[in-house]
Amino acid sequence: MLLKNPNAAFTAYPTELAKVLNQETAQQSKQWLSSWPLLNPQGTPFWDMTGTAKALGIQSLWIKDESKRSDLGSFKALGAPNALINLILKHFPTLDPKKIFLGEYRDQLAEFAVVSATDGNHGRALAAAAQASGCPCTIVIHAQVSQEREEAIAAYGANMVRITGNYDKSVEEADRIAKQHGWTVVSDTSYEGYTEIPRDVMQGYGVMAAETVAQLDAQQQIPTHIILQGGVGGLAAGVFSYFWEQYGANRPMFIVVEPSQADCLYQSAIQGKPASATGSVDSVMAGLACGETSQIAWEFLQPSVDFFALIDDQDAIEAMKQLAHGEHGDTPIVGGESGVAGLALLNQLAKQDQLQAIGINSDSRVLIFNTEGATAPALFQEFTGLTAQEIVAKQVK
Ligand SMILES: Cc1ncc(COP(=O)(O)O)c(C=O)c1O
């Protein structure tokens, strides 16, 4: 399903939005995060998928591959960690931001506790950043978070709390725990009266956009379309804002894709304000299974996203197999359930002969983001028949 957003405009990047998210602060985040040994110092690959582009009938298809960002396996390694550095600096302004994740201030931070809800990747990234800096960390997970995702977070030393409700209930529980103990919530979603930390999380995602622009520039390329997957909308806002500032009124077409059951951004576009999902909010795309739109993210998406689209779980599973097996002669890629959503949408539209509905034709150059690798390894193997290690071994170095 596809929805054209009547509020999207091709204008210069608005000054009001630039006060919240901007390239200068994204570059600063890049600097600060660069000292964290957990992150891949080379950034992440930018694959040119020539075979798949040909099969789709388009000029180019590029995949920015966040499975290689760090051992955490997703782009989320840039978000919560960036917010944590900013938060620590707010409370301890004399600290050197580049030394926080080297554990140099462990003693000072031993009582500075943080807490967050997660459906997996955000909590894992926060736990790893807290462990590196020496802050105690509690992560609240909901009933649908798999055992293997729970263990992956706990491996970074977080205190785990599991509730019986859904993701939105876990957000409420994290808030309650924080108030009870005087801890700070480091959430990737914003709600009434809570915007600063989610803003810093989104700004961290700008690091990925900055890298991508440099990779495009190196090839003297500008995409015509960028597709991003949506959970609460923070990823799309953090990345699209960077591209909007970069290309201004000549920006590419922006498209957001979500699971049909977790359509909060699609519903927000219909209502013209942050809205809730209408479905069960239970998708195999765990990272995108969010029922509520992030308020601050919506301020960026409403005026810029040209189309909102929905895909089914089966579309994602097919795209995972396609990438894992390197179909059409392209490099095999470790694309997790939420990571492959952009490709899944392109396949769905191509199958229905609908690519032209979002303005895609034989001259189009499309950029998508594989936002996670095998973050749930057993499920990944079940869906693709391969392990991440087997796929990486086949990649062209
Ligand atoms: C792998 C992956 N991709 C995309 C997203 C969507 O990000 P956001 O919730 O900021 O829209 C998430 C969120 O958890 C995720 O884990």
Side-chain angles (χ1 to χ4, degrees), residues 9-26 199 202-203 206 209 234-252 254 296-305:
F10 286 81
T11 61
Y13 185 51
T15 324
E16 281 312 303
L17 295 184
K19 285 182 193 152
V20 185
L21 292 177
N22 56 68
Q23 293 192 341
E24 201 183 325
T25 317
R199 188 270 319 270
M202 296 194 305
Q203 189 68 86
L235 161 71
V239 173
F240 284 148
S241 60
Y242 194 98
F243 281 97
W244 194 358
E245 188 173 350
Q246 180 72 21
Y247 300 118
N250 295 322
R251 67 167 174 81
F254 293 160
I296 187 172
W298 188 248
E299 288 171 25
F300 291 82
L301 302 182
Q302 161 134 324
S304 68
V305 174

Side-chain angles (χ1 to χ4, degrees), residues 74-76 119 121-122 188 205 229-236 265 286-288 290 338-339 371-372:
S74 84
F75 78 103
K76 292 257 162 180
D119 41 30
N121 292 329
H122 171 76
D188 56 353
Y205 304 155
Q229 45 278 71
V232 301
L235 161 71
L265 302 172
L288 311 184
C290 304
S338 298
T371 51
E372 71 175 344

Side-chain angles (χ1 to χ4, degrees), residues 74-196:
S74 84
F75 78 103
K76 292 257 162 180
L78 301 169
N82 184 53
L84 186 62
I85 295 179
N86 278 281
L87 181 68
I88 290 172
L89 288 178
K90 200 172 153 186
H91 290 262
F92 305 88
T94 57
L95 302 191
D96 179 347
K98 293 189 82 171
K99 292 188 178 158
I100 292 173
F101 289 167
L102 300 178
E104 297 217 1
Y105 308 116
R106 213 159 261 292
D107 295 343
Q108 269 162 283
L109 298 174
E111 305 284 317
F112 191 69
V114 290
V115 54
S116 182
T118 189
D119 41 30
N121 292 329
H122 171 76
R124 194 175 182 189
L126 179 62
Q131 188 181 56
S133 43
C135 303
C137 177
T138 296
I139 297 294
V140 185
I141 52 172
H142 59 85
Q144 302 294 333
V145 176
S146 68
Q147 185 72 29
E148 64 175 340
R149 286 193 188 274
E150 176 175 356
E151 283 162 15
I153 302 168
Y156 289 94
N159 167 39
M160 303 299 295
V161 175
R162 186 183 277 273
I163 61 147
T164 51
N166 64 11
Y167 174 74
D168 301 316
K169 288 276 172 269
S170 65
V171 173
E172 285 168 25
E173 179 61 9
D175 200 49
R176 193 194 64 76
I177 294 177
K179 287 195 178 109
Q180 185 184 0
H181 298 286
W183 298 344
T184 307
V185 175
V186 180
S187 173
D188 56 353
T189 194
S190 93
Y191 36 89
E192 203 59 47
Y194 182 79
T195 52
E196 199 174 317

